[in-house]
Amino acid sequence: MTATPRDPVDAIAAQWAAVRPDLDTVPMTVYGRIYRISRAMGDRIEKEYKRFGISRGEFDVLATLRRSGEPYTLSPRQLSATTMLTTGGMTGRLDKLEKAGLLSRSPDPNDRRGLRVTLSEKGREIVDESVTAGLEMQHEVLDGVLDAAEAEQLNGLLRKLLSAH
Amino acid sequence: MTATPRDPVDAIAAQWAAVRPDLDTVPMTVYGRIYRISRAMGDRIEKEYKRFGISRGEFDVLATLRRSGEPYTLSPRQLSATTMLTTGGMTGRLDKLEKAGLLSRSPDPNDRRGLRVTLSEKGREIVDESVTAGLEMQHEVLDGVLDAAEAEQLNGLLRKLLSAH
DNA sequence: GAAAAGTAGCTTAGGAGTAAGCTACTTCTC
DNA sequence: GAGAAGTAGCTTACTCCTAAGCTACTTTTC
Protein backbone atom coordinates (compact mmCIF):
# COMPACT_ATOMS: atom_id res chain seq x y z
CA MET A 1 0.00 0.00 0.00
CA THR A 2 1.25 3.44 -0.91
CA ALA A 3 0.53 6.67 0.90
CA THR A 4 -2.46 8.67 -0.28
CA PRO A 5 -1.44 10.56 -3.43
CA ARG A 6 -1.17 14.27 -2.75
CA ASP A 7 -1.13 15.49 -6.31
CA PRO A 8 -1.36 14.09 -9.85
CA VAL A 9 2.36 13.40 -9.96
CA ASP A 10 2.22 11.35 -6.78
CA ALA A 11 -0.72 9.48 -8.28
CA ILE A 12 1.33 8.55 -11.33
CA ALA A 13 4.23 7.42 -9.15
CA ALA A 14 1.83 5.30 -7.08
CA GLN A 15 0.54 3.64 -10.26
CA TRP A 16 4.07 2.79 -11.30
CA ALA A 17 4.87 1.45 -7.83
CA ALA A 18 1.88 -0.87 -8.11
CA VAL A 19 2.90 -2.41 -11.44
CA ARG A 20 6.68 -2.05 -11.17
CA PRO A 21 7.66 -2.17 -7.45
CA ASP A 22 11.33 -2.45 -8.43
CA LEU A 23 11.47 1.15 -9.67
CA ASP A 24 12.75 4.10 -7.65
CA THR A 25 10.19 6.71 -8.64
CA VAL A 26 11.73 9.73 -6.88
CA PRO A 27 13.48 11.18 -9.96
CA MET A 28 10.26 10.86 -11.93
CA THR A 29 8.34 12.94 -9.37
CA VAL A 30 10.98 15.68 -9.28
CA TYR A 31 11.27 16.02 -13.05
CA GLY A 32 7.57 15.40 -13.57
CA ARG A 33 6.73 18.38 -11.37
CA ILE A 34 9.36 20.53 -13.04
CA TYR A 35 7.89 19.65 -16.43
CA ARG A 36 4.33 20.41 -15.37
CA ILE A 37 5.19 23.69 -13.69
CA SER A 38 7.18 24.75 -16.73
CA ARG A 39 4.35 23.94 -19.04
CA ALA A 40 1.66 25.54 -16.88
CA MET A 41 3.64 28.76 -16.48
CA GLY A 42 4.41 28.69 -20.21
CA ASP A 43 0.69 28.70 -20.96
CA ARG A 44 0.02 31.53 -18.52
CA ILE A 45 2.84 33.72 -19.76
CA GLU A 46 1.78 33.08 -23.35
CA LYS A 47 -1.64 34.50 -22.51
CA GLU A 48 -0.10 37.45 -20.73
CA TYR A 49 2.09 38.38 -23.73
CA LYS A 50 -0.81 37.89 -26.09
CA ARG A 51 -2.39 40.98 -24.54
CA PHE A 52 0.52 42.92 -26.06
CA GLY A 53 0.22 41.19 -29.42
CA ILE A 54 3.31 39.00 -29.17
CA SER A 55 4.05 35.33 -28.59
CA ARG A 56 6.40 33.92 -25.99
CA GLY A 57 9.09 33.26 -28.59
CA GLU A 58 8.79 36.77 -29.95
CA PHE A 59 9.04 38.15 -26.43
CA ASP A 60 12.31 36.26 -26.00
CA VAL A 61 13.81 38.01 -29.00
CA LEU A 62 12.64 41.46 -27.94
CA ALA A 63 13.74 40.85 -24.35
CA THR A 64 17.21 39.72 -25.41
CA LEU A 65 17.63 42.94 -27.37
CA ARG A 66 16.19 45.06 -24.56
CA ARG A 67 18.39 43.74 -21.80
CA SER A 68 21.54 44.01 -23.92
CA GLY A 69 21.14 47.77 -23.32
CA GLU A 70 21.64 50.68 -25.72
CA PRO A 71 21.66 50.73 -28.69
CA TYR A 72 19.47 47.58 -28.45
CA THR A 73 21.33 45.96 -31.33
CA LEU A 74 22.51 42.36 -31.80
CA SER A 75 23.15 40.03 -34.73
CA PRO A 76 20.70 37.25 -35.70
CA ARG A 77 23.47 34.83 -34.77
CA GLN A 78 23.73 36.21 -31.23
CA LEU A 79 19.96 36.14 -30.90
CA SER A 80 19.59 32.54 -32.02
CA ALA A 81 22.40 31.44 -29.69
CA THR A 82 20.87 33.20 -26.67
CA THR A 83 17.33 32.05 -27.30
CA MET A 84 18.39 28.43 -28.03
CA LEU A 85 16.78 28.60 -31.46
CA THR A 86 18.14 27.46 -34.83
CA THR A 87 19.04 30.13 -37.36
CA GLY A 88 16.18 28.98 -39.56
CA GLY A 89 13.70 29.56 -36.77
CA MET A 90 15.21 32.96 -36.00
CA THR A 91 14.77 34.09 -39.63
CA GLY A 92 11.04 33.46 -39.31
CA ARG A 93 10.70 35.26 -35.99
CA LEU A 94 12.62 38.28 -37.22
CA ASP A 95 10.43 38.39 -40.34
CA LYS A 96 7.30 38.60 -38.18
CA LEU A 97 8.71 41.13 -35.75
CA GLU A 98 10.11 43.31 -38.53
CA LYS A 99 6.76 43.27 -40.32
CA ALA A 100 5.07 44.29 -37.06
CA GLY A 101 7.49 47.21 -36.80
CA LEU A 102 9.01 46.07 -33.49
CA LEU A 103 12.55 45.82 -34.83
CA SER A 104 14.56 46.50 -37.98
CA ARG A 105 17.33 44.71 -39.86
CA SER A 106 20.28 46.64 -41.30
CA PRO A 107 23.57 45.55 -42.88
CA ASP A 108 26.54 45.08 -40.55
CA PRO A 109 29.08 47.78 -41.59
CA ASN A 110 32.02 45.59 -40.56
CA ASP A 111 31.02 42.25 -42.03
CA ARG A 112 29.11 42.09 -45.26
CA ARG A 113 27.84 38.61 -44.45
CA GLY A 114 26.12 39.85 -41.32
CA LEU A 115 23.09 41.83 -40.21
CA ARG A 116 22.33 43.99 -37.22
CA VAL A 117 18.93 43.69 -35.59
CA THR A 118 17.75 46.76 -33.70
CA LEU A 119 14.75 47.21 -31.42
CA SER A 120 12.38 49.97 -32.53
CA GLU A 121 10.82 52.47 -30.15
CA LYS A 122 7.53 50.60 -30.43
CA GLY A 123 9.35 47.33 -29.73
CA ARG A 124 10.98 48.77 -26.62
CA GLU A 125 7.64 49.97 -25.30
CA ILE A 126 6.00 46.61 -25.83
CA VAL A 127 8.78 44.59 -24.25
CA ASP A 128 8.90 46.94 -21.26
CA GLU A 129 5.19 46.62 -20.67
CA SER A 130 5.07 42.87 -21.17
CA VAL A 131 8.07 42.06 -18.97
CA THR A 132 6.48 44.03 -16.14
CA ALA A 133 3.14 42.30 -16.59
CA GLY A 134 4.74 38.85 -16.79
CA LEU A 135 6.82 39.33 -13.66
CA GLU A 136 3.84 40.62 -11.73
CA MET A 137 1.81 37.60 -12.71
CA GLN A 138 4.61 35.23 -11.72
CA HIS A 139 5.06 37.09 -8.45
CA GLU A 140 1.43 36.61 -7.55
CA VAL A 141 1.58 32.89 -8.24
CA LEU A 142 4.71 32.46 -6.16
CA ASP A 143 3.41 34.56 -3.28
CA GLY A 144 0.30 32.44 -3.16
CA VAL A 145 2.16 29.30 -2.12
CA LEU A 146 5.69 30.12 -0.94
CA ASP A 147 7.05 32.66 1.54
CA ALA A 148 10.25 34.55 0.76
CA ALA A 149 12.49 32.07 2.60
CA GLU A 150 10.99 29.11 0.79
CA ALA A 151 11.33 30.82 -2.56
CA GLU A 152 14.99 31.47 -1.88
CA GLN A 153 15.51 27.89 -0.76
CA LEU A 154 13.80 26.60 -3.90
CA ASN A 155 15.89 28.86 -6.08
CA GLY A 156 19.10 27.60 -4.46
CA LEU A 157 18.16 23.97 -5.03
CA LEU A 158 17.15 24.69 -8.61
CA ARG A 159 20.46 26.44 -9.24
CA LYS A 160 22.26 23.33 -8.03
CA LEU A 161 20.16 21.08 -10.20
CA LEU A 162 20.55 23.27 -13.26
CA SER A 163 24.33 23.12 -12.82
CA ALA A 164 24.13 19.39 -13.56
CA HIS A 165 22.70 20.05 -17.02
CA MET B 1 26.61 46.79 -8.85
CA THR B 2 25.16 43.33 -8.69
CA ALA B 3 26.74 40.23 -7.20
CA THR B 4 28.81 38.06 -9.53
CA PRO B 5 26.44 35.94 -11.63
CA ARG B 6 26.62 32.31 -10.65
CA ASP B 7 24.88 30.80 -13.64
CA PRO B 8 23.35 31.94 -16.95
CA VAL B 9 20.03 32.69 -15.32
CA ASP B 10 21.66 34.98 -12.76
CA ALA B 11 23.48 36.67 -15.64
CA ILE B 12 20.20 37.41 -17.39
CA ALA B 13 18.67 38.76 -14.17
CA ALA B 14 21.73 40.98 -13.71
CA GLN B 15 21.32 42.36 -17.22
CA TRP B 16 17.70 43.20 -16.52
CA ALA B 17 18.64 44.82 -13.20
CA ALA B 18 21.08 47.05 -15.07
CA VAL B 19 18.55 48.35 -17.61
CA ARG B 20 15.37 48.10 -15.51
CA PRO B 21 16.31 48.52 -11.82
CA ASP B 22 12.62 48.80 -10.92
CA LEU B 23 11.96 45.12 -11.66
CA ASP B 24 11.88 42.36 -9.04
CA THR B 25 13.68 39.62 -10.93
CA VAL B 26 13.24 36.79 -8.41
CA PRO B 27 10.24 35.14 -10.16
CA MET B 28 12.13 35.24 -13.44
CA THR B 29 15.07 33.31 -11.97
CA VAL B 30 12.85 30.65 -10.39
CA TYR B 31 10.79 30.02 -13.52
CA GLY B 32 13.79 30.51 -15.79
CA ARG B 33 15.63 27.71 -14.03
CA ILE B 34 12.57 25.49 -14.07
CA TYR B 35 12.19 26.07 -17.80
CA ARG B 36 15.84 25.33 -18.53
CA ILE B 37 15.98 22.20 -16.37
CA SER B 38 12.79 20.93 -18.00
CA ARG B 39 14.15 21.53 -21.44
CA ALA B 40 17.58 20.04 -20.72
CA MET B 41 16.10 16.91 -19.17
CA GLY B 42 13.64 16.69 -22.04
CA ASP B 43 16.53 16.56 -24.50
CA ARG B 44 18.35 13.92 -22.46
CA ILE B 45 15.34 11.69 -22.01
CA GLU B 46 14.53 12.05 -25.71
CA LYS B 47 17.97 10.63 -26.52
CA GLU B 48 17.52 7.85 -23.98
CA TYR B 49 14.19 6.75 -25.48
CA LYS B 50 15.58 7.00 -28.99
CA ARG B 51 17.78 4.00 -28.16
CA PHE B 52 14.55 2.01 -27.93
CA GLY B 53 13.16 3.46 -31.14
CA ILE B 54 10.52 5.73 -29.61
CA SER B 55 10.07 9.45 -29.03
CA ARG B 56 9.24 11.10 -25.75
CA GLY B 57 5.62 11.61 -26.74
CA GLU B 58 5.30 8.01 -27.82
CA PHE B 59 6.79 6.90 -24.52
CA ASP B 60 4.10 8.88 -22.71
CA VAL B 61 1.39 6.94 -24.49
CA LEU B 62 2.98 3.55 -23.85
CA ALA B 63 3.73 4.46 -20.22
CA THR B 64 0.16 5.57 -19.58
CA LEU B 65 -1.10 2.21 -20.83
CA ARG B 66 1.57 0.28 -18.92
CA ARG B 67 0.95 1.86 -15.54
CA SER B 68 -2.81 1.47 -15.87
CA GLY B 69 -2.13 -2.23 -15.23
CA GLU B 70 -3.61 -5.31 -16.89
CA PRO B 71 -5.05 -5.58 -19.47
CA TYR B 72 -3.11 -2.44 -20.54
CA THR B 73 -6.16 -1.02 -22.27
CA LEU B 74 -7.49 2.54 -22.41
CA SER B 75 -9.52 4.64 -24.83
CA PRO B 76 -7.91 7.33 -27.06
CA ARG B 77 -9.94 9.84 -25.10
CA GLN B 78 -8.43 8.74 -21.78
CA LEU B 79 -4.96 8.78 -23.32
CA SER B 80 -5.26 12.28 -24.75
CA ALA B 81 -6.63 13.59 -21.44
CA THR B 82 -3.79 12.04 -19.42
CA THR B 83 -1.02 13.08 -21.76
CA MET B 84 -2.35 16.63 -22.19
CA LEU B 85 -2.62 16.17 -25.95
CA THR B 86 -5.47 17.10 -28.29
CA THR B 87 -7.40 14.25 -29.86
CA GLY B 88 -5.99 15.18 -33.24
CA GLY B 89 -2.47 14.78 -31.99
CA MET B 90 -3.32 11.49 -30.32
CA THR B 91 -4.65 10.07 -33.59
CA GLY B 92 -1.24 10.65 -35.16
CA ARG B 93 0.68 9.10 -32.29
CA LEU B 94 -1.53 6.04 -32.22
CA ASP B 95 -1.09 5.63 -35.99
CA LYS B 96 2.69 5.54 -35.60
CA LEU B 97 2.67 3.23 -32.59
CA GLU B 98 0.17 0.87 -34.19
CA LYS B 99 2.24 0.71 -37.36
CA ALA B 100 5.31 -0.10 -35.24
CA GLY B 101 3.38 -2.95 -33.62
CA LEU B 102 3.61 -1.52 -30.09
CA LEU B 103 -0.14 -1.32 -29.58
CA SER B 104 -3.39 -2.20 -31.31
CA ARG B 105 -6.76 -0.52 -31.75
CA SER B 106 -9.98 -2.50 -31.45
CA PRO B 107 -13.65 -1.49 -31.29
CA ASP B 108 -15.14 -0.82 -27.88
CA PRO B 109 -17.77 -3.56 -27.36
CA ASN B 110 -19.91 -1.27 -25.19
CA ASP B 111 -19.81 1.91 -27.23
CA ARG B 112 -19.69 1.82 -31.00
CA ARG B 113 -18.30 5.36 -31.14
CA GLY B 114 -15.27 4.34 -29.14
CA LEU B 115 -12.04 2.41 -29.49
CA ARG B 116 -9.89 0.47 -27.09
CA VAL B 117 -6.13 0.86 -27.33
CA THR B 118 -4.12 -2.08 -26.02
CA LEU B 119 -0.40 -2.41 -25.42
CA SER B 120 1.20 -5.29 -27.34
CA GLU B 121 3.76 -7.64 -25.82
CA LYS B 122 6.47 -5.85 -27.77
CA GLY B 123 5.13 -2.51 -26.55
CA ARG B 124 5.22 -3.68 -22.95
CA GLU B 125 8.81 -4.81 -23.29
CA ILE B 126 9.93 -1.53 -24.82
CA VAL B 127 8.21 0.64 -22.25
CA ASP B 128 9.59 -1.47 -19.40
CA GLU B 129 13.13 -1.17 -20.69
CA SER B 130 12.90 2.52 -21.47
CA VAL B 131 11.31 3.55 -18.17
CA THR B 132 14.11 1.77 -16.30
CA ALA B 133 16.79 3.40 -18.44
CA GLY B 134 15.20 6.85 -18.12
CA LEU B 135 14.89 6.65 -14.34
CA GLU B 136 18.47 5.47 -13.98
CA MET B 137 19.71 8.37 -16.05
CA GLN B 138 17.66 10.85 -14.03
CA HIS B 139 18.88 9.26 -10.81
CA GLU B 140 22.50 9.74 -11.81
CA VAL B 141 21.96 13.39 -12.64
CA LEU B 142 20.20 14.04 -9.35
CA ASP B 143 22.77 12.14 -7.28
CA GLY B 144 25.51 14.20 -8.85
CA VAL B 145 24.30 17.45 -7.30
CA LEU B 146 21.79 16.78 -4.50
CA ASP B 147 21.83 14.47 -1.50
CA ALA B 148 18.69 12.59 -0.47
CA ALA B 149 17.57 15.25 2.02
CA GLU B 150 17.95 18.04 -0.52
CA ALA B 151 16.07 16.08 -3.16
CA GLU B 152 13.21 15.56 -0.76
CA GLN B 153 13.22 19.22 0.19
CA LEU B 154 13.18 20.22 -3.47
CA ASN B 155 10.35 17.85 -4.19
CA GLY B 156 8.31 19.30 -1.34
CA LEU B 157 8.77 22.85 -2.56
CA LEU B 158 7.94 21.84 -6.12
CA ARG B 159 4.77 20.12 -4.96
CA LYS B 160 3.71 23.35 -3.28
CA LEU B 161 4.47 25.38 -6.36
CA LEU B 162 2.69 22.96 -8.67
CA SER B 163 -0.40 23.21 -6.48
CA ALA B 164 -0.66 26.88 -7.51
CA HIS B 165 -1.07 25.92 -11.17
C1' DG C 1 47.75 36.33 -53.11
C1' DA C 2 45.27 32.01 -54.31
C1' DA C 3 43.15 28.08 -52.35
C1' DA C 4 40.97 26.02 -48.39
C1' DA C 5 38.30 26.30 -44.48
C1' DG C 6 35.08 28.61 -41.67
C1' DT C 7 30.95 31.58 -40.74
C1' DA C 8 26.39 34.40 -41.49
C1' DG C 9 21.89 34.28 -42.79
C1' DC C 10 18.33 32.31 -45.74
C1' DT C 11 15.60 28.58 -48.04
C1' DT C 12 13.44 24.21 -48.28
C1' DA C 13 11.49 19.88 -46.76
C1' DG C 14 9.61 17.41 -43.20
C1' DG C 15 7.74 16.53 -38.41
C1' DA C 16 4.51 17.28 -34.81
C1' DG C 17 1.44 20.03 -32.49
C1' DT C 18 -3.30 22.86 -32.16
C1' DA C 19 -8.01 24.36 -33.40
C1' DA C 20 -11.98 23.77 -35.79
C1' DG C 21 -15.17 21.03 -37.93
C1' DC C 22 -16.88 16.49 -39.59
C1' DT C 23 -19.50 11.92 -39.10
C1' DA C 24 -21.23 8.43 -36.30
C1' DC C 25 -23.05 7.05 -32.26
C1' DT C 26 -25.06 7.51 -27.40
C1' DT C 27 -27.67 9.69 -23.74
C1' DC C 28 -31.01 12.82 -22.09
C1' DT C 29 -35.61 14.87 -22.18
C1' DC C 30 -40.25 15.22 -22.80
C1' DG D 1 -39.68 6.53 -28.73
C1' DA D 2 -38.49 10.75 -31.35
C1' DG D 3 -35.83 14.87 -31.26
C1' DA D 4 -32.11 17.45 -29.02
C1' DA D 5 -27.87 17.58 -26.99
C1' DG D 6 -23.57 15.55 -25.97
C1' DT D 7 -19.40 12.64 -26.95
C1' DA D 8 -15.70 9.76 -29.60
C1' DG D 9 -12.38 9.73 -32.92
C1' DC D 10 -10.73 11.41 -37.34
C1' DT D 11 -9.55 14.89 -40.96
C1' DT D 12 -7.99 19.24 -42.53
C1' DA D 13 -5.66 23.62 -42.45
C1' DC D 14 -2.35 26.06 -40.21
C1' DT D 15 1.65 27.27 -37.23
C1' DC D 16 6.21 26.86 -35.75
C1' DC D 17 10.02 24.26 -35.12
C1' DT D 18 14.45 21.53 -36.75
C1' DA D 19 17.91 19.70 -39.99
C1' DA D 20 20.24 20.04 -44.04
C1' DG D 21 21.91 22.50 -47.70
C1' DC D 22 22.57 26.90 -50.26
C1' DT D 23 25.07 31.42 -51.43
C1' DA D 24 27.92 35.01 -50.10
C1' DC D 25 31.48 36.62 -47.60
C1' DT D 26 35.65 36.41 -44.31
C1' DT D 27 39.68 34.33 -42.31
C1' DT D 28 43.41 31.13 -42.35
C1' DT D 29 47.13 28.72 -44.56
C1' DC D 30 50.79 27.91 -47.48
Side-chain angles (χ1 to χ4, degrees):
Chain A
M1 297 302 117
T2 55
T4 308
R6 276 176 287 183
D7 74 2
V9 175
D10 286 319
I12 288 172
Q15 274 195 307
W16 273 117
V19 299
R20 285 285 306 274
D22 60 304
L23 296 177
D24 171 7
T25 56
V26 170
M28 178 165 98
T29 58
V30 173
Y31 284 108
R33 289 191 174 96
I34 287 175
Y35 173 73
R36 282 164 183 251
I37 293 167
S38 176
R39 202 171 147 154
M41 180 47 77
D43 290 349
R44 286 176 98 135
I45 208 94
E46 188 85 48
K47 276 186 196 162
E48 200 68 30
Y49 295 154
K50 200 175 181 180
R51 298 201 292 121
F52 302 97
I54 56 176
S55 73
R56 193 185 177 186
E58 287 157 10
F59 171 85
D60 279 346
V61 173
L62 300 180
T64 304
L65 289 166
R66 176 65 177 95
R67 66 172 198 267
S68 74
E70 303 252 27
Y72 310 128
T73 298
L74 293 170
S75 69
R77 176 83 19 194
Q78 289 174 303
L79 286 169
S80 55
T82 308
T83 57
M84 305 191 267
L85 190 70
T86 56
T87 61
M90 185 53 66
T91 298
R93 277 195 202 169
L94 294 178
D95 285 349
K96 279 197 66 182
L97 288 166
E98 189 172 30
K99 193 170 292 178
L102 306 186
L103 52 80
S104 61
R105 278 188 268 211
S106 56
D108 183 328
N110 302 317
D111 185 339
R112 275 200 283 175
R113 296 170 306 178
L115 290 178
R116 298 193 317 172
V117 177
T118 302
L119 203 57
S120 72
E121 179 59 22
K122 188 174 161 197
R124 198 196 52 68
E125 281 168 21
I126 284 183
V127 71
D128 272 353
E129 286 170 26
S130 46
V131 73
T132 302
L135 280 172
E136 260 170 34
M137 183 273 287
Q138 290 180 330
H139 212 300
E140 272 172 37
V141 174
L142 277 178
D143 280 357
V145 287
L146 300 178
D147 61 37
E150 287 174 319
E152 199 185 332
Q153 198 175 40
L154 173 60
N155 219 353
L157 291 164
L158 289 172
R159 188 188 285 110
K160 267 195 177 182
L161 184 53
L162 180 56
S163 75
H165 287 283
Chain B
M1 296 301 117
T2 55
T4 308
R6 277 176 287 184
D7 74 3
V9 176
D10 286 319
I12 288 172
Q15 274 195 307
W16 273 117
V19 300
R20 286 285 306 273
D22 60 305
L23 297 176
D24 171 8
T25 58
V26 170
M28 178 167 100
T29 60
V30 173
Y31 284 108
R33 288 190 174 97
I34 287 174
Y35 173 73
R36 281 164 182 251
I37 293 167
S38 177
R39 201 172 148 154
M41 179 49 76
D43 290 349
R44 285 174 100 135
I45 209 92
E46 188 83 49
K47 276 187 194 163
E48 200 67 30
Y49 295 154
K50 199 176 182 181
R51 299 200 293 121
F52 302 97
I54 55 175
S55 73
R56 192 186 179 186
E58 286 157 11
F59 171 84
D60 278 347
V61 174
L62 300 180
T64 303
L65 289 166
R66 175 65 176 96
R67 67 172 197 267
S68 74
E70 303 251 28
Y72 308 128
T73 298
L74 294 168
S75 68
R77 175 86 13 196
Q78 289 174 303
L79 287 169
S80 54
T82 308
T83 57
M84 304 191 267
L85 190 71
T86 56
T87 61
M90 184 54 65
T91 298
R93 278 195 200 168
L94 294 178
D95 285 349
K96 279 197 66 182
L97 289 166
E98 188 172 32
K99 193 170 292 179
L102 305 186
L103 53 77
S104 61
R105 278 188 267 212
S106 57
D108 183 329
N110 302 317
D111 186 339
R112 274 201 282 175
R113 294 171 307 178
L115 290 178
R116 297 193 318 171
V117 176
T118 302
L119 204 55
S120 71
E121 179 58 21
K122 187 176 162 197
R124 199 197 50 70
E125 282 168 20
I126 284 182
V127 70
D128 272 354
E129 287 169 25
S130 46
V131 73
T132 303
L135 280 172
E136 261 169 33
M137 181 274 287
Q138 290 180 330
H139 213 299
E140 273 172 37
V141 174
L142 277 178
D143 280 357
V145 288
L146 298 179
D147 62 34
E150 286 174 319
E152 198 185 333
Q153 198 175 41
L154 173 59
N155 219 354
L157 290 164
L158 288 173
R159 188 187 286 109
K160 266 196 179 182
L161 184 53
L162 180 56
S163 75
H165 288 282

